[in-house]
Short mmCIF file of all heavy atoms in Angstrom, two decimals:
data_model
loop_
_atom_site.label_atom_id
_atom_site.label_comp_id
_atom_site.label_asym_id
_atom_site.label_seq_id
_atom_site.Cartn_x
_atom_site.Cartn_y
_atom_site.Cartn_z
N ALA A 1 -11.91 22.06 -12.09
CA ALA A 1 -12.75 21.15 -12.92
C ALA A 1 -13.90 20.57 -12.11
O ALA A 1 -14.59 19.67 -12.56
CB ALA A 1 -11.91 20.03 -13.51
N GLY A 2 -14.07 21.00 -10.86
CA GLY A 2 -15.16 20.50 -10.02
C GLY A 2 -14.85 19.28 -9.21
O GLY A 2 -15.75 18.57 -8.77
N PHE A 3 -13.57 19.02 -8.94
CA PHE A 3 -13.20 17.86 -8.13
C PHE A 3 -12.77 18.31 -6.71
O PHE A 3 -12.35 19.44 -6.53
CB PHE A 3 -11.98 17.14 -8.76
CG PHE A 3 -12.30 16.34 -9.99
CD1 PHE A 3 -12.49 17.00 -11.22
CD2 PHE A 3 -12.40 14.99 -9.97
CE1 PHE A 3 -12.79 16.26 -12.38
CE2 PHE A 3 -12.70 14.25 -11.12
CZ PHE A 3 -12.89 14.88 -12.30
N ARG A 4 -12.89 17.38 -5.82
CA ARG A 4 -12.33 17.52 -4.48
C ARG A 4 -11.52 16.28 -4.12
O ARG A 4 -11.74 15.20 -4.71
CB ARG A 4 -13.46 17.72 -3.44
CG ARG A 4 -14.44 16.57 -3.31
CD ARG A 4 -15.43 16.79 -2.23
NE ARG A 4 -16.45 15.75 -2.17
CZ ARG A 4 -16.33 14.57 -1.56
NH1 ARG A 4 -15.19 14.29 -0.91
NH2 ARG A 4 -17.29 13.67 -1.57
N VAL A 5 -10.60 16.43 -3.17
CA VAL A 5 -9.77 15.26 -2.80
C VAL A 5 -10.64 14.30 -1.98
O VAL A 5 -11.23 14.67 -0.96
CB VAL A 5 -8.53 15.72 -1.98
CG1 VAL A 5 -7.77 14.51 -1.43
CG2 VAL A 5 -7.61 16.61 -2.81
N LEU A 6 -10.67 13.06 -2.43
CA LEU A 6 -11.43 12.02 -1.69
C LEU A 6 -10.64 11.42 -0.61
O LEU A 6 -11.05 11.22 0.52
CB LEU A 6 -11.91 10.95 -2.70
CG LEU A 6 -12.74 9.79 -2.15
CD1 LEU A 6 -14.06 10.34 -1.57
CD2 LEU A 6 -12.99 8.75 -3.22
N PHE A 7 -9.35 11.05 -0.97
CA PHE A 7 -8.45 10.56 0.05
C PHE A 7 -6.99 10.67 -0.47
O PHE A 7 -6.76 10.84 -1.63
CB PHE A 7 -8.75 9.11 0.52
CG PHE A 7 -8.48 8.04 -0.53
CD1 PHE A 7 -7.25 7.52 -0.70
CD2 PHE A 7 -9.54 7.62 -1.35
CE1 PHE A 7 -7.02 6.48 -1.66
CE2 PHE A 7 -9.35 6.57 -2.30
CZ PHE A 7 -8.05 6.08 -2.44
N GLU A 8 -6.05 10.59 0.44
CA GLU A 8 -4.63 10.57 0.16
C GLU A 8 -4.01 9.27 0.67
O GLU A 8 -4.51 8.72 1.68
CB GLU A 8 -3.93 11.78 0.73
CG GLU A 8 -4.47 13.09 0.18
CD GLU A 8 -3.71 14.33 0.74
OE1 GLU A 8 -3.09 14.17 1.81
OE2 GLU A 8 -3.73 15.37 0.06
N ALA A 9 -2.94 8.85 0.03
CA ALA A 9 -2.31 7.55 0.42
C ALA A 9 -0.84 7.65 0.03
O ALA A 9 -0.39 8.64 -0.48
CB ALA A 9 -3.01 6.38 -0.26
N ARG A 10 -0.16 6.55 0.30
CA ARG A 10 1.26 6.46 -0.08
C ARG A 10 1.50 5.15 -0.87
O ARG A 10 0.98 4.11 -0.54
CB ARG A 10 2.14 6.43 1.19
CG ARG A 10 2.10 7.71 2.01
CD ARG A 10 2.78 8.88 1.34
NE ARG A 10 4.20 8.69 1.20
CZ ARG A 10 5.11 9.03 2.11
NH1 ARG A 10 4.71 9.55 3.26
NH2 ARG A 10 6.41 8.84 1.92
N TRP A 11 2.31 5.30 -1.90
CA TRP A 11 2.78 4.09 -2.56
C TRP A 11 3.72 3.36 -1.61
O TRP A 11 4.42 3.99 -0.81
CB TRP A 11 3.52 4.49 -3.87
CG TRP A 11 2.70 5.11 -4.91
CD1 TRP A 11 2.72 6.40 -5.29
CD2 TRP A 11 1.72 4.45 -5.72
NE1 TRP A 11 1.80 6.60 -6.32
CE2 TRP A 11 1.18 5.42 -6.60
CE3 TRP A 11 1.24 3.13 -5.82
CZ2 TRP A 11 0.18 5.14 -7.51
CZ3 TRP A 11 0.27 2.83 -6.73
CH2 TRP A 11 -0.25 3.81 -7.57
N ILE A 12 3.73 2.04 -1.71
CA ILE A 12 4.58 1.20 -0.83
C ILE A 12 5.40 0.29 -1.68
O ILE A 12 5.04 -0.07 -2.83
CB ILE A 12 3.77 0.45 0.21
CG1 ILE A 12 2.73 -0.45 -0.49
CG2 ILE A 12 3.09 1.40 1.21
CD1 ILE A 12 2.02 -1.43 0.48
N HIS A 13 6.49 -0.17 -1.11
CA HIS A 13 7.45 -1.07 -1.82
C HIS A 13 8.09 -2.00 -0.88
O HIS A 13 8.46 -1.63 0.24
CB HIS A 13 8.52 -0.22 -2.55
CG HIS A 13 9.76 -0.97 -2.89
ND1 HIS A 13 10.94 -0.83 -2.22
CD2 HIS A 13 9.99 -1.96 -3.83
CE1 HIS A 13 11.85 -1.66 -2.72
NE2 HIS A 13 11.30 -2.33 -3.71
N ARG A 14 8.24 -3.23 -1.33
CA ARG A 14 9.02 -4.23 -0.59
C ARG A 14 9.89 -4.95 -1.58
O ARG A 14 9.43 -5.43 -2.64
CB ARG A 14 8.13 -5.24 0.15
CG ARG A 14 8.88 -6.22 1.02
CD ARG A 14 7.91 -7.20 1.70
NE ARG A 14 8.58 -8.11 2.59
CZ ARG A 14 9.22 -9.20 2.27
NH1 ARG A 14 9.31 -9.57 0.96
NH2 ARG A 14 9.80 -9.94 3.17
N PRO A 15 11.25 -5.09 -1.30
CA PRO A 15 12.10 -5.83 -2.26
C PRO A 15 11.66 -7.27 -2.40
O PRO A 15 11.00 -7.84 -1.52
CB PRO A 15 13.49 -5.72 -1.63
CG PRO A 15 13.38 -4.58 -0.63
CD PRO A 15 11.97 -4.61 -0.14
N ALA A 16 12.06 -7.90 -3.50
CA ALA A 16 11.80 -9.31 -3.68
C ALA A 16 12.48 -10.13 -2.53
O ALA A 16 13.56 -9.77 -2.08
CB ALA A 16 12.35 -9.77 -5.01
N GLY A 17 11.78 -11.16 -2.13
CA GLY A 17 12.35 -11.97 -1.06
C GLY A 17 11.25 -12.63 -0.23
O GLY A 17 10.10 -12.25 -0.30
N PRO A 18 11.62 -13.64 0.58
CA PRO A 18 10.62 -14.35 1.41
C PRO A 18 10.16 -13.47 2.53
O PRO A 18 10.87 -12.50 2.96
CB PRO A 18 11.39 -15.57 1.90
CG PRO A 18 12.83 -15.13 1.93
CD PRO A 18 12.98 -14.19 0.73
N PRO A 19 8.96 -13.76 3.10
CA PRO A 19 8.47 -13.01 4.25
C PRO A 19 9.32 -13.32 5.48
O PRO A 19 9.88 -14.40 5.60
CB PRO A 19 7.02 -13.51 4.42
CG PRO A 19 7.04 -14.85 3.84
CD PRO A 19 8.03 -14.83 2.70
N ALA A 20 9.34 -12.35 6.40
CA ALA A 20 10.06 -12.59 7.65
C ALA A 20 9.30 -13.55 8.55
O ALA A 20 9.93 -14.19 9.40
CB ALA A 20 10.30 -11.23 8.36
N VAL A 21 7.98 -13.58 8.44
CA VAL A 21 7.12 -14.45 9.28
C VAL A 21 6.46 -15.48 8.36
O VAL A 21 5.89 -15.14 7.34
CB VAL A 21 6.06 -13.59 9.97
CG1 VAL A 21 5.18 -14.50 10.83
CG2 VAL A 21 6.75 -12.52 10.86
N ALA A 22 6.52 -16.72 8.76
CA ALA A 22 5.88 -17.79 8.00
C ALA A 22 4.35 -17.70 8.13
O ALA A 22 3.84 -17.41 9.20
CB ALA A 22 6.36 -19.16 8.48
N PRO A 23 3.64 -17.93 7.04
CA PRO A 23 2.14 -17.85 7.14
C PRO A 23 1.59 -19.05 7.89
O PRO A 23 2.15 -20.12 7.89
CB PRO A 23 1.74 -17.89 5.64
CG PRO A 23 2.82 -18.67 4.95
CD PRO A 23 4.13 -18.29 5.67
N GLU A 24 0.45 -18.79 8.51
CA GLU A 24 -0.25 -19.85 9.26
C GLU A 24 -1.34 -20.51 8.43
O GLU A 24 -1.88 -21.52 8.80
CB GLU A 24 -0.86 -19.30 10.54
CG GLU A 24 0.17 -18.73 11.51
CD GLU A 24 -0.43 -18.20 12.77
OE1 GLU A 24 -1.67 -18.22 12.88
OE2 GLU A 24 0.30 -17.78 13.67
N LEU A 25 -1.68 -19.91 7.27
CA LEU A 25 -2.75 -20.41 6.43
C LEU A 25 -2.22 -20.98 5.13
O LEU A 25 -1.20 -20.59 4.59
CB LEU A 25 -3.70 -19.21 6.09
CG LEU A 25 -4.28 -18.46 7.25
CD1 LEU A 25 -5.03 -17.21 6.73
CD2 LEU A 25 -5.27 -19.36 8.01
#
């Protein structure tokens, strides 16, 4: 159909829950 691949990536997932590192902002 006249397309080329622009880029490839991966879906990502993180379970619900607090971050391991507290934010500074």
Side-chain angles (χ1 to χ4, degrees):
F3 286 79
R4 61 176 174 84
V5 175
L6 181 63
F7 68 86
E8 298 183 337
R10 296 289 294 272
W11 295 108
I12 58 172
H13 159 253
R14 185 181 185 278
V21 178
E24 297 180 357
L25 303 171

